[in-house]
């Protein structure tokens, strides 16, 4: 296949438009920066993002390249099908639950990052430990997005994936460095419009292609492969539920989410953004579902792709760009490429900004340089984004494993960070001992459960664990079980530590986390945790 010159030109125009929007937003943020904290402007937009922009940026954050590509892939796979497409409903419910339960306590206290309540409750050092899983998650996520975009451009434009990765990474890093959340939010508007229009333009051409059978018929009847509606077999119900709860609850404790709602002008607007973006996220999956259904209904031998099919060639992950390229006219497939590029960049910039924000605010300002000026923190944020972006671009060249690393780090965020955040916001009587114990228990249980994608064998075989083709598969909902056990450990150990020190069963000098408040007398348990702002919120000192 020859180099697709029109596609390359159109993509260059899109990248230029995105970069120009980011630079304009950077100028706008500096104009609005008068009498405002420059760090808060970069991280949460000075808490001045309106509902319209907030809705677009929150929706675009979740509707990334993996979202639209992955949805189409799962519908296409004969072993999965539509019933296994959980992300649209899972993310939508996640945003609704986040708006209902988490927005008010976070926004009312004017937190800047998701790590703030954790550091406030459990101390800076424990907070720095909890910072590791989301940091790895954001970096691996950025790398996975770049790898996906590179593979897509290789299919449609016939250019090297490494060139696509470098150009995309440089564009995202540049406008995110310049304008922070303002640049990310305003470019998200452009990107979401591109995604919506481009995909919907491609749908009619793919549906009426002569090689494609009616998707209404193939939804329930076997044609070129099993019906794309799919089915959930009884033995896989536990895994289905585990993945669903992972998407719903595990999507909440991410800085990319809270960065949007914390940037709203009021808690009411933050909740509205969260609710509406959930609806937007769900609706944006419809084009990908249709494209996956088309792929499952296509006789690939009638196309220039030929046989064997994408499934047999192991190219199922690329099914969306393959449909655009082989079932649509060339000029239409170029529009589809714009959608994929837009989706990738809309999530990549969010991941980069999230990682840089947490490092600058929670690690550099609160631990490394407590007397740092606002300008110094801002530069720490920019330098960290540059380092994280360069590292992610390097990882993108190893795309065979970067997705697996992201999934594993995302599961660690679900198992470790979600229960910690719940306890910090809704059970302030928990303390650093419980937090540390919960972290260790959750980490051990998740690692000992194994990870087939990374060739890590399970040490703990839960009920239903089976050996298939030399690989162990856990059918028990162990991710949710690990999260619940972590939650219980935090609460139980926190209470146990209070009892041991309160009743002098352990000497007060052993209280290295200072939950006793020094040498003072412990106050009743019901008043635990009301002292906010202390490095280790625990039992207050009774000052007579």
């Amino acid at each position: 296949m020859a180099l697709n010159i029109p596609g390359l030109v159109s993509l260059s125009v899109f990248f230029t438009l995105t970069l120009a929007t980011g630079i304009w937003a950077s100028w706008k943020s500096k104009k609005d920066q008068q009498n405002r904290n420059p760090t808060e402007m970069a991280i949460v937009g000075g808490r001045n993002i309106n509902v319209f922009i907030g809705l677009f940026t929150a929706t675009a954050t979740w509707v990334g390249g993996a979202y639209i590509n992955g949805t189409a892939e799962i519908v296409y796979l004969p072993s999965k099908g539509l019933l296994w497409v959980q992300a649209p409903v899972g993310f939508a419910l996640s945003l609704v639950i986040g708006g209902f339960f988490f927005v008010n306590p976070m926004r009312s206290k004017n937190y800047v990052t998701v790590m703030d309540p954790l550091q406030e409750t459990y101390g800076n050092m424990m907070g720095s430990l909890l910072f590791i899983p989301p940091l790895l998650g954001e970096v691996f996520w950025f790398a996975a997005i770049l790898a996906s975009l590179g593979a897509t451009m290789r299919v449609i434009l016939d250019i090297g994936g490494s060139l696509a990765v470098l150009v995309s990474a440089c564009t995202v890093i540049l406008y995110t460095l310049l304008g922070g959340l303002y640049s990310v939010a305003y470019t998200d508007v452009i990107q979401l419009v591109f995604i919506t229009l481009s995909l919907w333009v491609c749908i009619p051409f793919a549906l009426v292609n002569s090689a494609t059978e009616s998707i209404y018929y193939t939804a329930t009847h076997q044609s070129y492969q099993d019906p794309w509606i799919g089915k959930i077999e009884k033995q896989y119900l536990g895994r289905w539920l585990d993945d669903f709860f992972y998407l719903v609850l595990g999507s909440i404790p991410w800085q990319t989410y809270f960065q949007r709602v914390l940037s709203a002008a009021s808690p009411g607007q933050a909740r509205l953004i969260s609710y509406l973006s959930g609806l937007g996220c769900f609706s944006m999956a419809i084009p990908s579902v249709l494209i996956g259904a088309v792929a499952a209904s296509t006789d690939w031998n009638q196309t220039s792709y030929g046989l064997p099919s994408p499934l047999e060639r192991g190219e199922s992950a690329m099914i969306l760009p393959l449909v655009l390229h082989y079932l649509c006219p060339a000029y239409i497939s170029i529009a589809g490429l714009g959608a994929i590029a837009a989706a990738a960049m809309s999530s990549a910039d969010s991941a980069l900004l999230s990682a840089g924000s947490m490092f600058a605010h929670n690690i550099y300002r609160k631990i490394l340089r407590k007397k740092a000026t606002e300008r110094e923190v801002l530069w720490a944020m920019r330098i960290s984004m540059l380092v994280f972006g360069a590292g992610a671009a390097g990882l993108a060249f190893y795309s065979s494993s970067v997705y697996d690393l992201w999934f594993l780090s995302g599961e660690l965020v679900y198992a470790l960070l979600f229960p910690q955040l719940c306890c910090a916001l809704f059970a302030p009587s928990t303390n650093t001992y419980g937090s540390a114990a919960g972290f260790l228990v959750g980490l051990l249980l998740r690692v000992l459960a194994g990870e087939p994608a990374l060739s890590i064998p399970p040490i703990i075989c839960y009920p239903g664990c089976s050996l298939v083709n030399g690989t162990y598969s856990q059918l028990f909902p162990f991710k949710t079980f690990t999260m619940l056990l972590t939650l219980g450990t935090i609460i139980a150990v926190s209470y146990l530590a209070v009892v041991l020190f309160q009743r002098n069963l352990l000497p007060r000098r052993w209280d290295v986390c200072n939950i006793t408040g020094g040498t003072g007398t412990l106050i009743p348990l019901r008043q635990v945790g009301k002292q906010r702002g202390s490095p280790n919120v625990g039992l207050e000192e009774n000052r007579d």
Side-chain angles (χ1 to χ4, degrees), residues 349-466:
D349 54 17
S350 300
L352 183 63
L353 180 63
S354 171
S357 300
M358 289 189 293
F359 175 81
H361 179 72
N362 297 104
I363 303 300
Y364 188 82
R365 185 206 297 270
K366 294 188 176 182
I367 298 176
L368 300 180
R369 284 275 296 169
K370 295 183 179 180
K371 295 183 180 180
T373 63
E374 292 298 326
R375 183 177 179 82
E376 189 177 341
V377 174
L378 195 60
W379 274 104
M381 178 179 168
R382 290 169 176 166
I383 293 172
S384 65
M385 285 194 293
L386 189 60
V387 172
F388 296 148
L395 285 170
F397 296 114
Y398 301 94
S399 57
S400 59
S401 60
V402 70
Y403 272 105
D404 301 327
L405 291 171
W406 173 69
F407 275 115
L408 181 59
S409 58
E411 290 176 9
L412 288 177
V413 170
Y414 176 44
L416 304 180
L417 205 62
F418 178 71
Q420 302 271 2
L421 181 63
C422 288
C423 288
L425 294 177
F426 308 115
S429 58
T430 52
N431 53 51
T432 311
Y433 296 108
S435 176
F439 184 90
L440 290 175
V441 168
L443 181 62
L444 281 174
L445 286 176
R446 180 60 194 91
V447 172
L448 294 178
E451 179 53 54
L454 298 176
S455 300
I456 301 175
I459 304 300
I460 299 176
C461 287
Y462 292 96
C465 182
S466 58

Side-chain angles (χ1 to χ4, degrees), residues 307-322:
L307 293 177
S309 68
L311 176 67
E312 294 167 324
R313 295 189 195 186
E315 295 183 350
S316 300
M318 300 301 300
I319 199 62
L320 190 142
L322 289 174

Side-chain angles (χ1 to χ4, degrees), residues 145-481:
I145 292 167
L146 292 176
S148 173
L149 184 58
T152 300
M153 291 186 179
R154 190 165 59 247
V155 169
I156 296 182
L157 298 183
D158 195 29
I159 63 174
S162 57
L163 178 61
V165 167
L166 288 175
V167 172
S168 304
C170 289
T171 303
V172 170
I173 292 171
L174 181 57
Y175 72 71
T176 307
L177 281 176
L178 290 174
L181 183 64
Y182 259 75
S183 291
V184 171
Y186 279 92
T187 53
D188 278 347
V189 175
I190 300 294
Q191 290 155 358
L192 195 63
V193 171
F194 259 89
I195 297 169
T196 305
L197 295 180
S198 300
L199 286 182
W200 277 111
V201 164
C202 297
I203 296 296
F205 293 92
L207 285 172
V208 300
N209 191 284
S210 59
T212 302
E213 197 166 344
S214 169
I215 63 173
Y216 301 103
Y217 176 80
T218 57
T220 55
H221 296 80
Q222 183 165 355
S223 182
Y224 304 111
Q225 63 180 52
D226 291 339
W228 60 263
I229 199 73
K231 59 182 178 180
I232 304 172
E233 297 178 356
K234 185 178 180 180
Q235 66 267 31
Y236 292 109
L237 183 59
R239 177 185 288 180
W240 192 95
L241 291 172
D242 200 21
D243 292 342
F244 184 73
F245 284 116
Y246 164 56
L247 288 170
V248 174
L249 302 177
S251 302
I252 293 174
W254 289 89
Q255 173 64 9
T256 49
Y257 167 64
F258 284 108
Q259 201 140 26
R260 271 72 192 161
V261 295
L262 293 175
S263 67
S266 67
Q269 288 188 9
R271 289 196 305 272
L272 184 60
I273 289 171
S274 194
Y275 298 148
L276 292 179
S277 60
L279 181 61
C281 186
F282 178 82
S283 63
M284 290 297 293
I286 297 175
S288 292
V289 169
L290 294 175
I291 289 174
V294 166
S297 310
T298 295
D299 179 5
W300 289 94
N301 196 36
Q302 294 185 38
T303 71
S304 57
Y305 184 83
L307 293 177
S309 68
L311 176 67
E312 294 167 324
R313 295 189 195 186
E315 295 183 350
S316 300
M318 300 301 300
I319 199 62
L320 190 142
L322 289 174
V323 167
L324 300 181
H325 184 64
Y326 291 100
L327 298 180
C328 298
Y331 61 93
I332 294 298
S333 66
I334 291 171
L337 176 62
I340 297 171
M345 294 176 70
S346 68
S347 294
D349 54 17
S350 300
L352 183 63
L353 180 63
S354 171
S357 300
M358 289 189 293
F359 175 81
H361 179 72
N362 297 104
I363 303 300
Y364 188 82
R365 185 206 297 270
K366 294 188 176 182
I367 298 176
L368 300 180
R369 284 275 296 169
K370 295 183 179 180
K371 295 183 180 180
T373 63
E374 292 298 326
R375 183 177 179 82
E376 189 177 341
V377 174
L378 195 60
W379 274 104
M381 178 179 168
R382 290 169 176 166
I383 293 172
S384 65
M385 285 194 293
L386 189 60
V387 172
F388 296 148
L395 285 170
F397 296 114
Y398 301 94
S399 57
S400 59
S401 60
V402 70
Y403 272 105
D404 301 327
L405 291 171
W406 173 69
F407 275 115
L408 181 59
S409 58
E411 290 176 9
L412 288 177
V413 170
Y414 176 44
L416 304 180
L417 205 62
F418 178 71
Q420 302 271 2
L421 181 63
C422 288
C423 288
L425 294 177
F426 308 115
S429 58
T430 52
N431 53 51
T432 311
Y433 296 108
S435 176
F439 184 90
L440 290 175
V441 168
L443 181 62
L444 281 174
L445 286 176
R446 180 60 194 91
V447 172
L448 294 178
E451 179 53 54
L454 298 176
S455 300
I456 301 175
I459 304 300
I460 299 176
C461 287
Y462 292 96
C465 182
S466 58
L467 184 64
V468 180
N469 297 326
T471 302
Y472 282 96
S473 178
Q474 303 273 18
L475 301 183
F476 182 79
F478 70 96
K479 293 191 286 285
T480 301
F481 174 76

